[in-house]
Amino acid sequence: MLPPPPSVLLILGTDAAGKDYVADFLVRRWQARGHLLEKRAGAFAGAAVDARSSSARKGRWGRFQERVFLTLFPLVRPLTPYLAQKLLARDQQRFRPADRPLVVVSHTALRLLAFAYGPIIPPPPLSPALGQALHALQATTRATAIVLDIDPAIRQQRIAARVRQGTVDPFDQYMQADVERAERIERYLVTLAIEYLQAGVIENNHLTDDALEMALADALLQRTLPSKHPE
């Protein structure tokens, strides 16, 4: 059985890793046990979001922004350390503890670093300033982190299903276009999450709900700080 929710839970993963599904799965299970939770996306101080998937929330404007980002990314890649550091610092400054357990899905700065550094062989080390920004954010939020890892073939299957359903977005297509690059991006994100956030890793490959709950319970029991929110 799942333990009580931590005060702050961060769920990381690449496109098609199942971040929103896992977040909503946890929220439903905890709500059934009487917990009220808040779900945010992209940052600890991000806006609250509903139970729809990230693809469903984006709309045309969101997809347009993604296409522009991917088009310009090769040009702005050298600025990645500066941008990521600014995003991390802003998130730390704006974060305020919620009055209920908080579930955060993805983090823009970490995702940006994975996109920039993951494809490079070998990936460059983070600068001391970036490392300090990550440690400071973790110290401020005291977040429990979980990162999802999936097999490359399963990522391709899930994105292909989104294509058939008409819900595919530009980031999905970017990950689908180069399987090896997508795997390196994911590997870097997992490594970053483990080294700087002490994240638990869950292989989210076609898990049944029972198997997913067992994996989540194990990860949370090993990493959750004592909850400030009673049953």
Side-chain angles (χ1 to χ4, degrees):
M1 179 180 291
L2 289 171
S7 296
V8 182
L9 174 64
L10 174 64
I11 300 176
L12 297 170
T14 57
D15 297 85
K19 300 182 296 296
D20 275 291
Y21 181 88
V22 170
D24 293 335
F25 177 88
L26 284 167
V27 169
R28 288 194 304 272
R29 294 295 171 100
W30 279 326
Q31 285 179 337
R33 294 172 56 188
H35 297 283
L36 296 177
L37 298 100
E38 182 176 329
K39 179 183 172 186
R40 297 178 188 172
F44 291 102
V49 296
D50 55 31
R52 292 176 298 167
S53 71
S54 59
S55 295
R57 289 194 303 269
K58 287 173 185 173
R60 291 183 178 180
W61 175 240
R63 287 175 168 78
F64 172 76
Q65 289 177 304
E66 288 186 357
R67 284 194 293 271
V68 171
F69 171 81
L70 291 172
T71 300
L72 298 178
F73 187 58
L75 299 176
V76 302
R77 186 191 297 268
L79 298 176
T80 295
Y82 172 80
L83 294 174
Q85 185 179 339
K86 289 298 183 182
L87 288 171
L88 290 167
R90 185 177 68 174
D91 198 21
Q92 180 198 4
Q93 293 167 1
R94 293 184 176 184
F95 174 75
R96 297 294 182 274
D99 60 357
R100 61 189 66 184
L102 174 64
V103 178
V104 181
V105 184
S106 191
H107 198 283
T108 301
L110 298 179
R111 190 178 187 188
L112 180 62
L113 289 171
F115 266 76
Y117 289 170
I120 301 174
I121 304 175
L126 290 188
S127 67
L130 263 175
Q132 290 172 6
L134 277 167
H135 287 310
L137 183 62
Q138 174 68 4
T140 297
T141 62
R142 295 176 61 82
T144 296
I146 290 175
V147 61
L148 306 177
D149 191 1
I150 59 174
D151 289 340
I154 291 179
R155 178 183 297 106
Q156 296 300 308
Q157 292 169 13
R158 291 178 181 173
I159 295 176
R162 293 179 181 181
V163 172
R164 294 192 297 271
Q165 296 163 3
T167 60
V168 71
D169 61 44
F171 279 129
D172 290 331
Q173 293 168 327
Y174 182 81
M175 299 294 278
Q176 185 185 41
D178 189 326
V179 176
E180 186 175 341
R181 179 180 63 194
E183 182 65 11
R184 290 200 297 267
I185 290 172
E186 180 179 72
R187 190 179 305 122
Y188 186 85
L189 180 63
V190 170
T191 300
L192 198 65
I194 293 172
E195 290 186 359
Y196 288 91
L197 303 176
Q198 296 76 52
V201 182
I202 292 179
E203 294 185 5
N204 191 30
N205 296 325
H206 296 322
L207 295 178
T208 65
D209 283 353
D210 287 344
L212 177 59
E213 181 168 351
M214 289 179 61
L216 288 166
D218 181 62
L220 290 169
L221 285 168
Q222 291 184 37
R223 291 166 179 85
T224 301
L225 295 170
S227 176
K228 299 178 182 178
H229 301 274
E231 290 280 359

